[in-house]
């Protein structure tokens, strides 16, 4: 009997090919990434780390790299710190992933084992905080992430999160951050978000950290969760927090980085001695993080996913990736301008990155959920999202969030952004005529006509690896 999962995967291939993906946190991986992820490396257990003399779990020695390139890493005899035998291939895979991650983000140390962005953030908190310690991060309604202290999360039960907001112009509210940093005695100041369209002033946050450290007399960890924009950083079109005084950067590997689903943690500094219990100082961050990932919060690493991360990082290091990153932003800015012409009110009045947040309630009177459903019916996928000071709640928010990483991977450009904005306006006009998702059925003919046009365009830009 054929497993129904087979047909469902085939159905998903069709959905992805015939529609256009506008969810800003999604992307399409290459055939090589997919192959590594589906490889027999999934059979192997490898708790521990591929530390080896003089290198730790960080970037390969620069002189060695100049002379040998990656072959040095692939040939080195590795006295590893693993708990299972048979690691001669796995160790090399993970070392290459670590080295490429460091090169991509100008980091000294990378932990490539987190299973996700949430796990990466959890490990950083566990590495640095004691229960009850305070983290100052962007609040969820302002555009922050669940793992930055939403009350429903485990972290929020263990640590004390204080939230800052965004200013009227959509930028970070630096005055609010400074005031709260000097009041709440934070152990971590966190910059990161899943719905924010500006480029943060990392130097300004670093200055705020300094003032708070002077006031409270202890070290404060500066942490950036760059899951959304990591590919823009790697592509050189967004500043890198590690170059602006930040100690730690976490990111997922699947969004703008175009790798497999997973997380990584990057930092400056080296692992001194993996066997000694380290003190909680900023100088010890790399080893504190390694210990917090394994055995602190995870067991066996997913080495097939780590191999796929390595392949993706190898792709991200190529010159073409810079062009891709620049095109993501160009497409997002074009789409934002076109939407504004059609009357869409955008938070922050546009975008400086890959992401657009449109307040459809304010623009047209219907909510984000209805619009998400109607766009789904024409093959355009995005998600309903709260806007600043939203009164609609989590289930009927006033806005929608969209972005260009995935469609830029498929090769859509500025002309197609104009077509896309036109379809979004046509669907908005239909939504204005209905009061519920059920009533959209009365407009099936118009919606199907747009659906055919979307399909025709989508099929001209094939999904990589399908
Ligand atoms: N789920 C991701 C996003 O869509 O932004 C964040 O984890």
């Amino acid at each position: 009997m054929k497993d129904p999962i087979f047909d469902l995967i085939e159905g998903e291939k069709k959905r992805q090919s015939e529609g256009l993906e506008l969810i800003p946190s999604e992307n399409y991986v290459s055939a090589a990434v997919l192959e590594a992820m589906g490889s027999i490396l999934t059979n192997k257990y490898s708790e521990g780390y591929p530390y080896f003399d003089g290198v730790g779990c960080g970037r390969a020695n620069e002189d060695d790299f100049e002379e040998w390139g990656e072959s040095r890493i692939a040939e080195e005899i590795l006295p590893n710190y693993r708990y299972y035998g048979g690691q001669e291939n796995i160790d090399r895979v993970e070392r290459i992933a670590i080295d490429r991650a460091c090169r991509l983000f100008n980091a000294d140390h990378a932990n490539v084992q987190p299973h996700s962005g949430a796990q990466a953030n959890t490990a950083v908190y566990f590495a640095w905080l004691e229960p009850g310690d305070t983290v100052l991060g962007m609040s969820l309604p302002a555009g922050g992430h669940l793992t930055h202290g939403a009350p429903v999360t485990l972290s929020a039960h263990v640590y004390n999160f204080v939230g800052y907001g965004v200013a009227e112009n959509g930028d970070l509210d630096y005055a609010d951050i400074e005031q709260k940093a000097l009041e709440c005695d934070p152990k971590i100041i966190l910059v990161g978000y899943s719905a924010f369209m500006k480029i943060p002033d990392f130097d300004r946050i670093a200055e705020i950290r300094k003032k708070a450290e002077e006031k409270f007399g202890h070290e404060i960890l500066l942490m950036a969760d760059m899951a959304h924009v990591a590919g823009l950083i790697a592509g050189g079109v967004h500043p890198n927090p590690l170059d602006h005084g930040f100690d730690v950067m976490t990111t997922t590997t699947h969004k703008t980085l175009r790798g497999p689903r997973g997380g990584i943690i990057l930092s400056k500094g080296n692992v001194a001695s993996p066997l000694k219990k380290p003190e909680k100082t900023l100088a010890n961050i790399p080893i504190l993080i390694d210990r917090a990932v394994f055995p602190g919060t995870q067991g066996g690493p997913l080495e097939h996913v780590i191999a796929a991360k390595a392949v993706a990082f190898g792709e991200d290091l190529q010159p073409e990736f810079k062009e891709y990153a620049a095109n993501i932003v160009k497409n997002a800015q074009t789409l934002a301008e076109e939407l504004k012409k059609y009357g869409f009110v955008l938070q922050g009045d546009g975008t400086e990155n890959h992401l657009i947040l449109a307040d459809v309630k304010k623009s047209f009177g219907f909510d984000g959920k209805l619009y998400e459903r109607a766009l789904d019916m024409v093959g355009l996928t995005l998600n309903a999202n709260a806007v600043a000071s939203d009164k609609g709640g989590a289930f009927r928010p006033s806005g929608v969030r969209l972005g260009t990483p995935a469609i830029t991977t498929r090769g859509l450009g500025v002309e197609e952004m104009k077509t896309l904005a036109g379809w979004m306006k046509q669907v908005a006009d239909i939504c204005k005529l209905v009061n519920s998702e059920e009533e959209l059925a009365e407009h099936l003919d118009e919606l199907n006509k747009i659906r055919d046009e979307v399909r025709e365009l989508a099929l001209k830009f094939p999904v990589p690896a399908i």
Side-chain angles (χ1 to χ4, degrees), residues 82-293:
R82 301 277 198 189
Y83 291 81
Y84 292 77
Q87 306 294 345
E88 63 263 36
N89 299 306
I90 295 291
D91 276 351
R92 292 169 166 100
V93 165
E94 195 168 332
R95 278 291 306 130
I96 291 175
I98 289 165
D99 188 66
R100 289 182 185 171
C102 287
R103 270 164 219 291
L104 212 44
F105 295 103
N106 194 23
D108 300 321
H109 176 266
N111 188 307
V112 296
Q113 294 190 2
H115 303 326
S116 69
Q119 297 262 178
N121 288 347
T122 302
V124 176
Y125 301 151
F126 186 60
W128 187 246
L129 302 172
E130 297 299 327
D133 278 351
T134 297
V135 180
L136 177 61
M138 190 192 261
S139 70
L140 187 64
H145 188 249
L146 271 176
T147 57
H148 302 169
V152 288
T153 60
L154 173 68
S155 302
H157 283 257
V158 180
Y159 310 114
N160 172 42
F161 285 84
V162 174
Y164 60 81
V166 285
E168 196 63 25
N169 66 359
D171 211 342
L172 293 185
D173 190 340
Y174 295 98
D176 188 37
I177 298 173
E178 178 160 347
Q179 190 188 341
K180 288 186 170 142
L182 295 175
E183 275 169 11
C184 74
D185 190 6
K187 296 285 174 358
I188 293 181
I189 299 179
L190 169 56
V191 176
Y193 31 77
S194 51
F196 180 68
M197 287 67 61
K198 301 277 183 190
I199 293 184
D201 184 343
F202 294 118
D203 292 326
R204 196 151 167 202
I205 305 284
E207 281 165 26
I208 294 173
R209 181 253 293 258
K210 209 160 146 231
K211 284 189 196 167
E213 281 186 336
E214 278 164 14
K215 172 161 184 193
F216 297 110
H218 59 73
E219 290 186 318
I220 298 172
L221 182 83
L222 263 195
M223 171 178 175
D225 174 351
M226 294 288 100
H228 263 268
V229 294
L232 304 184
I233 295 171
V237 295
H238 188 289
N240 179 353
L242 293 178
D243 293 337
H244 292 269
F246 275 61
D247 305 300
V248 171
M249 171 176 147
T250 58
T251 177
T252 50
T253 46
H254 43 278
K255 298 185 175 91
T256 41
L257 277 179
R258 228 163 43 179
R261 226 145 252 282
I264 52 171
I265 307 172
L266 302 139
S267 57
K268 296 282 191 185
N270 294 306
V271 170
S273 166
L275 294 182
K276 268 208 230 121
K277 186 163 189 294
E279 283 191 25
K280 286 195 178 178
T281 62
L282 288 178
N284 281 336
I285 272 298
I287 185 63
L288 287 167
I289 283 171
D290 284 352
R291 291 168 73 112
V293 173

Side-chain angles (χ1 to χ4, degrees), residues 228-368:
H228 263 268
V229 294
L232 304 184
I233 295 171
V237 295
H238 188 289
N240 179 353
L242 293 178
D243 293 337
H244 292 269
F246 275 61
D247 305 300
V248 171
M249 171 176 147
T250 58
T251 177
T252 50
T253 46
H254 43 278
K255 298 185 175 91
T256 41
L257 277 179
R258 228 163 43 179
R261 226 145 252 282
I264 52 171
I265 307 172
L266 302 139
S267 57
K268 296 282 191 185
N270 294 306
V271 170
S273 166
L275 294 182
K276 268 208 230 121
K277 186 163 189 294
E279 283 191 25
K280 286 195 178 178
T281 62
L282 288 178
N284 281 336
I285 272 298
I287 185 63
L288 287 167
I289 283 171
D290 284 352
R291 291 168 73 112
V293 173
F294 174 81
T297 51
Q298 288 192 174
L302 308 176
E303 292 295 344
H304 56 304
V305 179
I306 289 174
K309 288 174 185 173
V311 173
F313 299 156
E315 293 171 357
D316 300 345
L317 283 162
Q318 302 309 309
E320 305 84 86
F321 194 78
K322 289 198 175 352
E323 200 183 326
Y324 166 62
N327 286 339
I328 292 176
V329 178
K330 189 153 64 151
N331 278 343
Q333 291 179 336
T334 307
L335 184 54
E337 287 311 309
E338 293 298 312
L339 289 173
K340 276 162 61 180
K341 285 185 205 159
Y342 286 122
F344 284 79
V345 176
L346 306 185
Q347 190 162 310
D349 199 36
T351 185
E352 294 176 354
N353 56 29
H354 64 301
L355 195 146
I356 297 167
L357 193 55
D359 187 336
V360 287
K361 188 94 188 167
K362 195 185 244 178
S363 318
F364 307 114
F366 49 80
D367 66 56

